[in-house]
Amino acid sequence: MDQKLLIDCPGILRDYLIYMETIRGRSTRTVETYYIDLRLFFRYIKHLKGLVACDAEINDISIQDVDITLIRKITLSDIYEFLNYALADRSNNANTRARKVSCIRSFFKYLTSKVNLLEENPTAGLDSPSTRKSLPKYLNLEESLQLLTSLDPDNKPRDYCIITLFINCGMRLSELTGINLTDIKKDTIRILGKGNKERIVYLNDACKQALELYISRRPAAPKEPHALFISRNGRRISARRVEQIVSSVLANAGLDGKGYSAHKLRHTAATLMYQYGQVDVNILKEILGHANLATTQIYTHVASSQVRSAMDSSPLSGITSDKVKKNQKKKSVPLPSDAIDNNDNEE
């Protein structure tokens, strides 16, 4: 975790963040998000409890003096006040507020059940904001080809390899930046996912070729020799730099301004595998590294080509108005022969 973020961090919060990173296996980026959310929460609590000047700018409030004595005074009502502030004053949407709820719950659970500093957990009855279930945004096949052909693999082998892995393997941003050279074994790659869970992903021809080209031109003797993707300073490429690369490639392909991002390329890989490869959802779950099948099943709702095929397979799909009118005199409508079922009692 970036030590600069911890300058204003009280000991009780620091201990929690270390626990989440070292014991629970949360990524550095996730832990930093926890800190930012909890820092804002405690700033608001200090303002709410009158511990700072009433006209104090909330972003300037220090939380270094936050201790268990103050935390014990926090009530469920205080937490709902904070969530209302997040909505009314900071325009946080339901997903952002739900994330804050999850973070606050986790912190108080840690204090209650892990280090026993609290006897009662004020978040026990805390409800999470209702969030809208939206379908994942992804590039269609034509846009995916457009993206790949907008890059010259000979001039930018690293960037081409990054895009190819994203769009074929469906890995997360943190998973891609964390790849080491030793993780690649012939036609497989070892991925370290959420919660330090490892999985093996098989590489198709496109990925193997892109990797071979990049590795052959990878900078010699970098400062971090084990890292697969290296930045200009010789160190492991950062998540922010990868995001910039993806944004640049999308712009070159004429696909900017459509809400696409590095994470949307993961959605793209999953959707194209399901749509065109007819991949079983359980296999797709393993490829993506999802803990729950329910998370993967969202991709079964975006396969429009399969939905269209299912609709076209209906025995009534060929019964048009012309045929109905033509047979009205006969008081019957012709049915396809394979649609006739003699098992009338079968449900």
Side-chain angles (χ1 to χ4, degrees):
M1 184 174 176
D2 188 349
Q3 295 301 308
K4 293 180 181 178
L5 288 175
L6 297 178
I7 294 174
D8 190 34
C9 188
I12 194 169
L13 179 53
R14 184 189 295 268
D15 291 345
Y16 164 74
L17 297 173
I18 292 173
Y19 167 78
M20 294 303 291
E21 187 168 23
T22 60
I23 305 301
R24 297 301 303 275
R26 299 294 185 263
S27 70
T28 299
R29 202 173 191 187
T30 298
V31 173
E32 288 176 355
T33 301
Y34 289 162
Y35 171 65
I36 291 169
D37 283 345
L38 288 169
R39 180 179 62 185
L40 178 63
F41 173 65
F42 285 124
R43 283 172 171 173
Y44 178 80
I45 290 297
K46 288 186 66 174
H47 189 276
L48 181 68
K49 300 289 186 183
L51 300 177
V52 294
C54 60
D55 60 346
E57 173 60 41
I58 198 160
N59 289 333
D60 295 333
I61 297 174
S62 171
I63 64 167
Q64 278 186 313
D65 58 345
V66 169
D67 56 15
I68 193 61
T69 302
L70 173 60
I71 293 172
R72 285 181 179 138
K73 296 177 182 178
I74 297 174
T75 65
L76 179 59
S77 177
D78 294 335
I79 299 172
Y80 280 129
E81 288 270 9
F82 168 69
L83 294 174
N84 182 64
Y85 161 77
L87 172 62
D89 290 54
R90 301 185 80 93
S91 301
N92 288 172
N93 61 31
N95 287 327
T96 302
R97 284 179 282 121
R99 188 197 69 213
K100 285 178 166 56
V101 166
S102 176
C103 179
I104 294 169
R105 274 195 190 131
S106 173
F107 178 66
F108 277 97
K109 182 179 179 181
Y110 162 81
L111 293 178
T112 307
S113 61
K114 296 301 178 183
V115 292
N116 301 315
L117 292 176
L118 286 180
E119 293 183 1
E120 294 185 8
N121 186 344
T123 67
L126 179 61
D127 293 323
S128 186
S130 297
T131 56
R132 180 170 60 90
K133 296 292 184 181
S134 58
L135 295 177
K137 192 175 183 63
Y138 63 95
L139 282 73
N140 60 33
L141 180 57
E142 182 181 349
E143 290 173 326
S144 301
L145 292 170
Q146 188 177 341
L147 185 68
L148 288 169
T149 54
S150 67
L151 261 173
D152 184 348
D154 290 325
N155 291 334
K156 294 188 175 182
R158 182 197 64 182
D159 299 355
Y160 180 80
C161 186
I162 286 172
I163 298 296
T164 300
L165 289 181
F166 267 140
I167 217 163
N168 281 278
C169 300
M171 59 185 65
R172 299 178 178 92
L173 176 59
S174 60
E175 294 171 347
L176 180 133
T177 58
I179 297 174
N180 292 323
L181 288 170
T182 53
D183 294 327
I184 304 169
K185 303 291 185 182
K186 294 184 179 179
D187 62 345
T188 66
I189 188 167
R190 185 186 71 95
I191 301 295
L192 186 62
K194 283 187 174 181
N196 286 328
K197 294 179 181 177
E198 294 184 4
R199 69 182 188 278
I200 299 296
V201 173
Y202 286 88
L203 299 168
N204 58 25
D205 290 341
C207 292
K208 287 188 288 186
Q209 186 182 58
L211 280 166
E212 288 172 5
L213 178 61
Y214 164 64
I215 292 174
S216 69
R217 302 187 184 184
R218 180 174 171 273
K223 294 178 182 177
E224 295 189 52
H226 299 299
L228 172 61
F229 293 112
I230 300 297
S231 62
R232 289 181 180 178
N233 63 11
R235 299 191 181 279
R236 184 185 299 275
I237 198 167
S238 68
R240 179 59 188 145
R241 179 62 189 130
V242 173
E243 289 174 332
Q244 291 171 342
I245 290 170
V246 172
S247 295
S248 176
V249 175
L250 285 168
N252 291 339
L255 297 172
D256 54 333
K258 296 186 176 183
Y260 296 143
S261 63
H263 194 64
K264 299 303 184 292
L265 297 187
R266 170 173 161 84
H267 292 325
T268 298
T271 304
L272 294 182
M273 275 188 275
Y274 187 80
Q275 283 186 334
Y276 293 92
Q278 298 180 343
V279 177
D280 181 85
V281 70
N282 288 288
I283 296 176
L284 190 59
K285 170 180 174 291
E286 296 304 315
I287 293 173
L288 297 175
H290 286 158
N292 300 309
L293 184 61
T295 308
T296 316
Q297 286 175 329
I298 191 170
Y299 295 104
T300 67
H301 300 302
V302 297
S304 57
S305 62
Q306 291 178 317
V307 172
R308 186 179 299 111
S309 176
M311 294 295 290
D312 289 341
S313 69
S314 168
L316 299 178
S317 65
I319 308 304
T320 63
S321 59
D322 292 339
K323 289 184 179 181
V324 171
K325 290 176 181 178
K326 189 179 295 185
N327 289 276
Q328 276 181 337
K329 294 179 180 180
K330 299 179 182 180
K331 303 297 182 183
S332 65
V333 178
L335 289 175
S337 59
D338 59 354
I340 300 174
D341 190 349
N342 294 323
N343 298 322
D344 295 332
N345 296 325
E346 184 177 347
E347 294 183 356

